Amino acid sequence: MKRLIILLILTVFTAYKGQTEQKTDTPFTFLNDEVLKTKSKEELKLLRNEVYARKGYIFKSNDLNKYFKSKPWYAPDPNKNINSLTFTSQEKDYVNKIKYHEEGFYNKNEIDASKKCINYLSREKPDFYPLNEKKK
């Protein structure tokens, strides 16, 4: 009976031990275009720089350093510089995608005049401006 109680106590103790420890390695998620469209310029800047931060890059900008130092996964490495970082093709594509969104093409606060142009509408909605349609 004593062995059974000891075994039960050990089982319960080991089952709950891992649940009290905080995990510091949060997974990185590549966001799609639909989600990136909803982000502000500041959020896009942080998302783009997160790729660099996860590699241990120490930023020249104080606001970026302060922001990423507050993250439990950030491990700044003084031996890393921008030229020593290596990126996967997926990371490169993701950074370029974010840069594209940062340029304001999808920024809700900016109005792109070309979007209102009839030529733009004819490219995006071919049935809007039917120049080549045969008359009946």
Side-chain angles (χ1 to χ4, degrees):
M1 185 68 175
K2 288 181 184 180
R3 287 184 183 179
L4 182 62
I5 292 174
I6 291 173
L7 181 62
L8 182 63
I9 291 172
L10 287 173
T11 304
V12 169
F13 177 73
T14 56
Y16 288 106
K17 182 182 177 197
Q19 293 182 3
T20 60
E21 298 172 2
Q22 287 186 341
K23 294 190 177 191
T24 58
D25 188 29
T26 56
F28 183 75
T29 305
F30 293 98
L31 302 176
N32 62 29
D33 278 325
E34 293 302 315
V35 175
L36 290 174
K37 285 179 187 180
T38 66
K39 302 296 180 188
S40 69
K41 280 196 173 198
E42 185 62 30
E43 290 170 319
L44 290 169
K45 177 183 173 183
L46 294 174
L47 286 169
R48 177 175 44 86
N49 284 294
E50 183 177 350
V51 176
Y52 298 90
R54 289 192 177 267
K55 303 277 184 186
Y57 181 70
I58 299 174
F59 298 92
K60 293 177 179 139
S61 166
N62 288 335
D63 61 332
L64 288 174
N65 275 324
K66 183 178 178 182
Y67 174 78
F68 287 115
K69 283 182 182 177
S70 70
K71 302 298 177 191
W73 49 261
Y74 182 56
D77 185 352
N79 297 321
K80 299 244 176 144
N81 63 41
I82 197 71
N83 297 322
S84 69
L85 299 176
T86 55
F87 299 99
T88 65
S89 61
Q90 187 179 18
E91 290 169 330
K92 288 177 188 177
D93 291 343
Y94 187 62
V95 167
N96 287 332
K97 187 189 308 185
I98 293 172
K99 284 180 181 179
Y100 175 76
H101 288 280
E102 276 183 297
E103 289 173 0
F105 187 76
Y106 290 113
N107 192 337
K108 293 178 184 176
N109 298 325
E110 294 180 13
I111 298 172
D112 187 353
S114 66
K115 285 186 176 182
K116 293 185 175 186
C117 179
I118 290 178
N119 291 331
Y120 174 83
L121 292 172
S122 68
R123 282 192 310 271
E124 295 300 308
K125 299 177 183 180
D127 58 339
F128 175 78
Y129 195 58
L131 290 177
N132 297 331
E133 186 176 307
K134 292 182 180 180
K135 293 182 181 180
K136 294 180 181 181

